[in-house]
Amino acid sequence: MARPRISLIGAGNIGGVQAQLIVQKQLADVVLFDVVEGLPQGKALDINHALDAWGTSCTVTGTNSYEDTAGSDVYIVTAGLARKPGMSRDDLLSTNLGIMRQVAEGIRKASPDAVVIVVSNPLDAMVYAMKEISGFPPQRVFGQAGVLDSARFKFFVAEALGVAPRDVVAIVLGGHGDTMVPLPRHCSVNGVPLTELMDKAAIDAIVERVQGAGGEVVGLLKTGSAFVSPAAASVAMAESVILDQKRVLPCAAWLDGEYGASGVYMGVPVQIGAGGVERIFEIELDASEKKLMQASLAHVEKLISGIEL
Ligand code: TXD
């Protein structure tokens, strides 16, 4: 029985870590694609030279040709420019939209039945463009944002309370940007409500830091954006598809009336399995949470309205 195949479109900072994580988990064989000659081939060779140390038989193939990705079960797309200090995610729109057009065409021709996870920014617009250009059903095209933003939320709470990040339950909804919506009311430390463990000022400070965490990393690195944590988040999503794990994770999913939104992608809790997005969960939001989600929706709708496909 052939091993599953995950193709990574983009062999940059995130793509290289994704390839490493996938083979270390023995999740699938990896095809690493980039437009830069030699980059995917070099990273593939380097990672393959570590397979012995990791005790895995999954391999990485580097390529500049979509034909080599044919028959992939899952694609993870990081192709595009990353932010530099002073740039917003939205500043990447026009450049990365052009790249998304190429990528969507390549994927559609090579693997018409694949599930596609988009990571490139501005995320909500890029995943929308991927769905529109590829023509794939929206269930098979979704984006990585909330898993990373929620992981940031979990870490900051764990750090403040001195507990394990794995025991913090936290969720961030909405667009992947300054209007993202962390939900402290739904956060707990394995069932112990956050509001019983921290005062409002401390919680508000964490919420603000979560919303700015991407920019905080960009400001510190100065040469690019976060790459290990987005790689870990997107590989976790791909794992739920490949192993049909039915995980419930916050992802940028196609909305058709849910949360009062239609015809857009936005971060909501979804069940992820072999079919991609298999179910969308609606949360009863209070008035302030609804207001934040509506503001986030307005930002995403404005971003998407700027897309000329
Ligand atoms: O969680 C999230 N969604 C975000 C995503 C978290 C952090 C970074 N976010 C975005 O991911 C970031 O703003 C970028 O848009 C993407 C990729 O970030 P990365 O740090 O991996 O960028 P790199 O290192 O520049 O890698 C991008 C690669 C690079 O090797 C280019 O040669 C390649 O993309 N590239 C292409 N690949 C395929 N096809 C085309 N046309 C193409 N153009 C560039």
Side-chain angles (χ1 to χ4, degrees):
M1 183 175 77
R3 277 192 289 263
R5 172 181 292 181
I6 297 176
S7 282
L8 306 175
I9 307 300
N13 289 331
I14 298 177
V17 177
Q18 288 169 330
Q20 180 178 329
L21 293 176
I22 292 166
V23 298
Q24 281 178 320
K25 285 171 171 273
Q26 304 216 55
L27 184 56
D29 285 331
V30 174
V31 179
L32 186 60
F33 172 97
D34 205 291
V35 289
V36 173
E37 298 279 334
L39 177 65
Q41 294 87 349
K43 286 198 176 183
L45 207 49
D46 183 23
I47 291 169
N48 287 335
H49 296 163
L51 302 183
D52 166 50
W54 297 331
T56 172
S57 307
C58 292
T59 62
V60 184
T61 305
T63 184
N64 303 114
S65 157
Y66 276 101
E67 284 70 30
D68 292 332
T69 73
S72 295
D73 302 284
V74 174
Y75 283 79
I76 310 178
V77 180
T78 60
L81 301 188
R83 286 193 284 169
K84 296 275 189 298
M87 285 177 79
S88 76
R89 293 176 177 91
D90 298 359
D91 291 336
L92 302 170
L93 180 62
S94 60
T95 306
N96 286 352
L97 185 56
I99 292 171
M100 221 39 61
R101 280 198 190 89
Q102 285 179 27
V103 174
E105 277 304 314
I107 292 175
R108 187 175 56 78
K109 288 188 189 122
S111 308
D113 299 323
V115 169
V116 184
I117 297 169
V118 178
V119 178
S120 309
N121 270 326
L123 188 271
D124 305 288
M126 293 300 107
V127 63
Y128 174 86
M130 177 59 67
K131 194 264 303 174
E132 291 293 309
I133 300 166
S134 66
F136 286 7
Q139 294 72 20
R140 290 202 274 123
V141 181
F142 53 109
Q144 188 309 105
V147 174
L148 170 58
D149 295 329
S150 302
R152 288 167 166 166
F153 193 179
K154 295 176 186 186
F155 171 73
F156 291 136
V157 168
E159 184 186 42
L161 294 175
V163 300
R166 66 187 292 192
D167 290 331
V168 178
V169 177
I171 188 165
V172 177
L173 305 184
H176 182 51
D178 300 343
T179 64
M180 69 176 78
V181 186
L183 293 180
R185 188 165 65 93
H186 298 74
C187 179
S188 77
V189 181
N190 256 348
V192 182
L194 180 64
T195 49
E196 292 178 19
L197 296 165
M198 264 189 193
D199 63 29
K200 187 176 181 315
I203 293 173
D204 290 349
I206 283 180
V207 164
E208 191 177 343
R209 194 166 178 199
V210 169
Q211 291 168 324
E216 184 179 351
V217 173
V218 169
L220 289 166
L221 292 179
K222 297 186 177 50
T223 56
S225 43
F227 55 99
V228 175
S229 49
S234 50
V235 168
M237 293 161 67
E239 184 174 27
S240 194
V241 176
I242 295 284
L243 301 182
D244 195 25
Q245 290 178 328
K246 309 299 186 192
R247 293 199 59 191
V248 178
L249 298 168
C251 300
W254 177 255
L255 299 179
D256 186 17
E258 299 86 352
Y259 292 89
S262 289
V264 292
Y265 274 87
M266 200 162 67
V268 294
V270 297
Q271 173 184 308
I272 300 181
V277 174
E278 300 175 340
R279 182 175 166 193
I280 294 177
F281 290 87
E282 292 213 65
I283 301 175
E284 272 306 311
L285 301 175
D286 67 20
S288 65
E289 293 160 349
K290 273 191 188 132
K291 192 159 171 275
L292 290 170
M293 273 296 263
Q294 278 153 7
S296 201
L297 173 61
H299 176 78
V300 169
E301 284 174 334
K302 183 167 177 284
L303 200 59
I304 288 178
S305 68
I307 292 179
E308 284 166 27
L309 292 177

